[in-house]
Amino acid sequence: MSSGESATPLEELLPSTETSLTAEVFVHSLAPVGSKRQQDALVERLSGLADEGVVDGVDLLVWGDSICTGSVLANVGSGERIVSTIGEFYALAAKRGISISPFFRITKVTSSFADESFRRIVPPCRCLALYAEQKLVAVFPCVVDGVAYTPEDAISVLERTRSASVSSRAMADESS
């Protein structure tokens, strides 16, 4: 960005280019109908950024198409991790003044057959969390100032702002 340009709201969500980042991708399944191509493209782009040194690593977590928060399964292993991570997403959104609610629908399910009801979170089919020094710094999709930003939007900003920064640092290191 030149000195006369101001950062976009999306660019302001991301830490400075000197901060190392890791990425975590969350998906409904490894091959859902209708979004496998987008999942693959998302992970390929992030892997490319990892190969370039723009991000330090990429991880993947399958969280299913809904999470029943009152289930005993939400208190152990990956179930506990998923519920805790979504809680971190909401805490970050509140702290940063952004919204993730449109993408993480919370519903109550009632079954007349089993005479029971439960609360569930329906997460987006693709989600990207960015961490700096193992601390959550950004989550996508999100809404900032009324504009929705996707994981792909975040990757575009990383490609544009950080790839150039990594390249210039590498050239400086080689000239030393």
Side-chain angles (χ1 to χ4, degrees):
M1 191 174 347
S2 69
S3 60
E5 295 179 49
S6 62
T8 66
L10 178 56
E11 291 168 337
E12 290 176 359
L13 285 179
L14 302 174
S16 73
T17 56
E18 290 79 36
T19 305
S20 63
L21 292 175
T22 57
E24 194 161 38
V25 176
F26 299 83
V27 296
H28 280 189
S29 75
L30 295 180
V33 175
S35 66
K36 181 185 183 318
R37 186 170 24 96
Q38 291 94 340
Q39 287 177 348
D40 289 349
L42 180 68
V43 171
E44 283 177 15
R45 288 175 71 189
L46 283 167
S47 295
L49 290 174
D51 291 345
E52 293 175 24
V54 173
V55 295
D56 292 339
V58 179
D59 196 8
L60 177 75
L61 184 66
V62 177
W63 59 12
D65 59 2
S66 70
I67 298 105
C68 299
T69 58
S71 169
V72 69
L73 300 176
N75 298 320
V76 296
S78 61
E80 183 178 34
R81 179 178 173 207
I82 289 166
V83 171
S84 174
T85 298
I86 292 172
E88 288 178 45
F89 292 172
Y90 273 100
L92 177 74
K95 179 179 169 187
R96 302 286 305 268
I98 64 173
S99 177
I100 62 168
S101 294
F103 310 104
F104 290 83
R105 292 188 337 267
I106 298 173
T107 63
K108 183 176 180 181
V109 178
T110 304
S111 168
S112 58
F113 176 73
D115 195 33
E116 64 181 344
S117 66
F118 57 89
R119 191 177 83 123
R120 72 176 179 170
I121 300 171
V122 179
C125 61
R126 292 181 319 284
C127 181
L128 171 63
L130 296 174
Y131 296 84
E133 299 173 5
Q134 300 176 348
K135 182 180 176 191
L136 180 66
V137 294
V139 62
F140 301 92
C142 67
V143 175
V144 181
D145 296 332
V147 178
Y149 293 102
T150 66
E152 293 79 8
D153 294 329
I155 292 171
S156 293
V157 169
L158 292 174
E159 289 168 338
R160 186 176 70 249
T161 61
R162 289 180 170 254
S163 290
S165 175
V166 168
S167 296
S168 63
R169 280 196 309 258
M171 288 177 22
D173 290 345
E174 289 174 7
S175 66
S176 302

